[in-house]
Amino acid sequence: MSATPAASNPPKHHGEFEQRLAVPFQRSVSHPAFLEDHLPVSEHGSYTESQPVTMPPLIAPMSPHTRRERLLRIGTSSSTDRASQNRMSQPNPSTFLSSSTGDLNFYGSISSPARQRLHVRRRTWGPISVLPFRRSSSTPPSPHYARSRSSVFFLNPAAAYDAPVEGEFMADHAEDSEAAKANGIRVWYSSFSSIDWLHDAIKDSNRIFRLRKRKSLRGRILNAVDRSLGWIVVTIVGFVTAVLAFLIVRSEEWLFDIKGGHCTQGWWRSRTQCCSSTTESPMDRLDHAQEACKAWQPWDVLFEGSRMSDIGLEGWAVEYGSYTIIALLLALSSVFLTIKLTASTSFVGWKDSGVLSPSFSQEDEDQTMPPGTAPIEPKRKVMYFAAGSGIPEVKTILSGFVIHGYLGGRTLVTKCIGLPLAVASGLSLGKEGPLVHIAACVGNIVSRYFVKYETNEGKRREILSAASAAGVAVAFGAPIGGVLFSLEEVSYFFPAKVMWRSFFCAMIAAVTLRLLDPFGTGKLVLFQVTYDKDWHAFELVLFVVIGVFGGVYGAYFSKMNHWWTKNVRGQTWLRTHPASEVLLVTLVTTVLGFLNPYVRLSGTELVYNLFAECREGDSHAGLCPKHPDDVGPLIRAIGIAMIVKGLLTIVTFGIRLPAGIFVPSLGVGACFGRIVGLATQYWQWKHPDSDIFRSCHGDQNCMVPGVYAMIGAAAALSGVTRTTVSLAVIMFELTDTLTYVVPVMVGILVARTVADALEPKGIYDICIELSQLPYLDGKSEHLWGGLQAGDAIVRHVEAICLDRTNTVRSLRDQLQAVVSAGGADAGFPILSKEPGGLKVIGYIGVNELEYALTVVADDADAICHFHPARGAVRDTASFESSYREYASGPDPFDFTVYMNHAPLSVSTYAPLELVQQFFVKLGARYVIVTSDAGFFEGVIDKKQWVAFLAELDHKIGS
């Protein structure tokens, strides 16, 4: 078969293999059926021939639905007919495409020179590129082709995950990519699968090496731009996060206040803005806004003198009715947006695997599945991406798990709108935790514009770690605490470079939010307070008591929320009626909240007033008693609010709304701390000459109840989330003083110790467990006993044996068997039979095998090939060189290019701690277990290892 003009005259700078690659292959892409489905035709129904081009090898410009259909059609009559038509027709591949098609939407590819032969002008400035805006994975593009506008920094948004080295570097730096060649080519990670940290690290190392070897002026500029990209990205992320936080705070404040009335000076003003004089100092505005204000008109005033007054409807009834109705409308609006827009089943994009797609329809499978093929794995549990705080899922994503759409644009918009609606409804939840999820969404979206991060999931997680720090920075006004929170609680991989960028990102976010001044008080958060009195030694005992309470509350809150979620929310009619659950919880919250003034306050206002230090003339919602007789009723009111808040938080956390746990936990702990502080103050007033209070020197205001509230809040939050160092720093930044370093540390340490003794898992770990997310906690310690690697392996696995004939049909059946058994994130060891056993020559992932089979799906009986490294890879100059032996061009039935020729392996007698370090420290996706003689014994993949650890801990714990 003669080569096309484009193929016969390749650019001179291409290597010898690229010239051979220009020769079009005859199998797979020459199928009329394949072309009929995926190539553009002219208005007369024939393929256009304006410019001769060749089809790039191994591409699949198809949607997940189309790829699924092709896989299920393997071996059916339609597939056989199409293969027969191909053998009879053999059309000229030079007539397949025309320049009008634009660039191809690559799902994964090998040959970038083929794209050059398509006569598509792709102008890039070296290896540094920026991706244009595109639809998120929630709105997948056309399954055929995606056009993109080229510019200096712009690339085709659907470029392959692993793009080969182009141009002169193919020949000049072939020896530098030996590790990458042995590691194999990867296609895009499918949703609900684990990333390969090792592969991404090797890939980025080779990219940097090639870039640093460019010594020309242009190369130096490219190096400088490459080094600055990370700082540019985190700057944008920090700024956008602060702007979104400002909008959320302002809208939530207005929506919350609108339940009680409206401002006569402007309907868009909140109560604080409406009742604050411009001549007042920023620190006094909030206190004065809580008092009577003529400009703020309650809803019952509208009905004075109306028919409702004539029938005896009291003002409090009108106020309560309006409060309840508006709260229900806000909550229902939020849950409607969350359920309708962010269900996991609606997030299927072109990166997702066809077979592994969450939307894989069981009905379609029953109709199209070939006889004798096992049914596929049942659908996953539906997740609502905008619900909850998002921190457990962000932790899982940062650990190397892929959830397409969870950090996408649709989720970001839904959460930004639904969060103020949910918080303003008065439910016992906060907005601080979801701000971390929102910041991570911003980081993910911004990083996708840059190829450096878009095509490397490991690198992208560096940006997500920095974004998480920015989220905490705008939530609490604590940039340093945000960095430590990202390090301690969220991030999985946190080198020094990431710490610097996280600090910078948090600083940008905090400075931007300070300039925007969301509360009009000059403070970053509403409950930022200062204290001017020191603590006393005898108070340490009380701080310990508060810490014990925080630990007990945190442990039993986690236990009770786990029980409620698993047994009530998960096993009753509430499981299928999430909106009804939100309606009931909101109704109960409004009934109880309207009766208690402290429950009725928003979470941030309650925490602010509980933290506040009472000075002359301050009221702080009645929390500053003027006489000892006022302490008793005040303690009872705060105690009731604490119990109600605690119980409501148990049933509220986990409903299908954007909901955080930070502020409710702070509120409960602050209530208990304030009670202890008021009791201590009362005792001092009654016994001022006691030896305990000798250090007060007669000062009646020696005891500061707000300090006890702050320590109680920190203790409760530590007991719930199990954070320590970062939480302490956050509290220091909130109070603008280091005076109370020791009390805060004592409360947090005691709370963490008590909570761990009563319940080993914090609320985020429990959420991960309930969501069945494969999170591997590298900080946990396990008791291995005498177990070895051979005790954890799966011995009976699907494998590709080279001593038997591997056809497209047989490999498809093996692929379907693995998926049906729940191995969607697994793969296939490639074995060669030798005297004494089976030798491992490589490994191919499920995604890679599925993609390769999709390309050749029309030849069900064709034989697929896998070559060992010594004959096909080690002596080659690029990924594509495994096809050098084919004079007519690359063979699509040779899957060698997708193999990992050097998978991690351990002996069957290796200690389990070594296997744990492989997964935790090296980020392995799977580990091959071999015998002493080097023969194959089994495989341990990451999901199986996580399940094994859970079972091991359960046996030891029981």
Side-chain angles (χ1 to χ4, degrees), residues 436-603:
V436 176
H437 182 195
I438 290 173
C441 290
V442 174
N444 177 68
I445 294 171
V446 173
S447 64
R448 288 178 62 187
Y449 283 83
F450 300 85
V451 177
K452 176 180 177 179
Y453 300 105
E454 164 67 354
T455 58
N456 194 309
E457 291 286 349
K459 292 291 294 180
R460 192 189 306 186
R461 275 150 180 77
E462 297 179 3
I463 301 299
L464 298 183
S465 295
S468 300
V472 177
V474 297
F476 294 101
I480 301 176
V483 176
L484 294 177
F485 182 85
S486 179
L487 170 63
E488 178 183 4
E489 185 64 28
V490 180
S491 297
Y492 195 82
F493 177 69
F494 206 83
K497 176 178 63 176
V498 177
M499 179 176 291
W500 273 105
R501 289 179 179 171
S502 299
F503 182 73
F504 184 77
C505 186
M507 182 199 69
I508 293 295
V511 170
T512 304
L513 190 64
R514 178 64 180 267
L515 296 176
L516 294 174
D517 193 12
F519 300 103
T521 60
K523 299 184 295 184
L524 293 180
V525 292
L526 185 61
F527 45 87
Q528 186 176 12
V529 293
T530 56
Y531 303 110
D532 55 9
K533 295 183 182 296
D534 205 345
W535 59 280
H536 307 280
F538 71 88
E539 292 180 290
L540 283 175
V541 178
L542 300 177
F543 298 153
V544 171
V545 172
I546 294 175
V548 171
F549 169 81
V552 172
Y553 169 76
Y556 281 97
F557 170 82
S558 299
K559 288 178 179 290
M560 295 176 69
N561 181 260
H562 179 270
W563 177 86
W564 178 271
T565 303
K566 186 176 181 180
N567 298 293
V568 179
R569 182 176 294 128
Q571 297 183 7
T572 64
W573 61 274
L574 295 177
R575 181 172 60 90
T576 55
H577 298 81
S580 300
E581 180 187 12
V582 171
L583 181 66
L584 290 176
V585 173
T586 306
L587 187 61
V588 172
T589 302
T590 55
V591 171
L592 298 177
F594 193 81
L595 300 177
N596 187 289
Y598 302 118
V599 178
R600 187 176 178 181
L601 288 175
S602 67

Side-chain angles (χ1 to χ4, degrees), residues 193-324:
S193 64
S194 302
I195 71 171
D196 192 336
W197 289 94
L198 287 174
H199 175 83
D200 289 346
I202 294 171
K203 177 180 177 179
D204 189 63
S205 177
N206 288 331
R207 182 192 66 83
I208 294 176
F209 184 81
R210 294 193 302 269
L211 194 60
R212 298 297 183 262
K213 291 191 72 172
R214 305 185 68 165
K215 302 301 183 181
S216 63
L217 177 62
R218 182 168 177 264
R220 293 177 182 178
I221 296 175
L222 292 175
N223 274 278
V225 175
D226 180 73
R227 289 188 175 98
S228 64
L229 277 181
W231 299 100
I232 295 173
V233 171
V234 297
T235 301
I236 298 173
V237 170
F239 176 78
V240 175
T241 299
V243 172
L244 292 177
F246 169 79
L247 297 175
I248 290 172
V249 168
R250 280 293 179 93
S251 58
E252 179 267 326
E253 184 181 19
W254 177 79
L255 289 170
F256 189 92
D257 291 340
I258 204 68
K259 294 183 299 182
H262 66 99
C263 182
T264 57
Q265 297 178 354
W267 61 268
W268 61 89
R269 296 176 180 270
S270 66
R271 182 180 176 89
T272 303
Q273 296 171 337
C274 186
C275 299
S276 298
S277 172
T278 55
T279 59
E280 291 178 330
S281 63
M283 302 300 295
D284 297 331
R285 290 181 182 177
L286 181 64
D287 296 335
H288 293 178
Q290 294 172 350
E291 300 173 357
C293 173
K294 295 181 180 179
W296 184 260
Q297 188 177 69
W299 293 117
D300 60 317
V301 176
L302 298 177
F303 299 98
E304 289 182 357
S306 64
R307 186 175 301 178
M308 290 187 177
S309 301
D310 297 338
I311 61 177
L313 191 61
E314 301 292 340
W316 68 267
V318 175
E319 187 178 357
Y320 173 71
S322 60
Y323 179 90
T324 302

Side-chain angles (χ1 to χ4, degrees), residues 326-379:
I326 296 176
L328 291 174
L329 290 176
L330 293 174
L332 290 177
S333 299
S334 181
V335 72
F336 177 81
L337 292 173
T338 302
I339 294 176
K340 295 299 182 181
L341 298 181
T342 63
S344 59
T345 52
S346 65
F347 288 84
V348 182
W350 57 272
K351 290 182 181 180
D352 280 312
S353 167
V355 172
L356 309 183
S357 172
S359 64
F360 208 109
S361 173
Q362 187 69 37
E363 297 179 0
D364 293 343
E365 293 153 14
D366 294 339
Q367 297 172 2
T368 60
M369 201 65 190
T373 306
I376 75 154
E377 181 184 7
K379 294 180 180 179

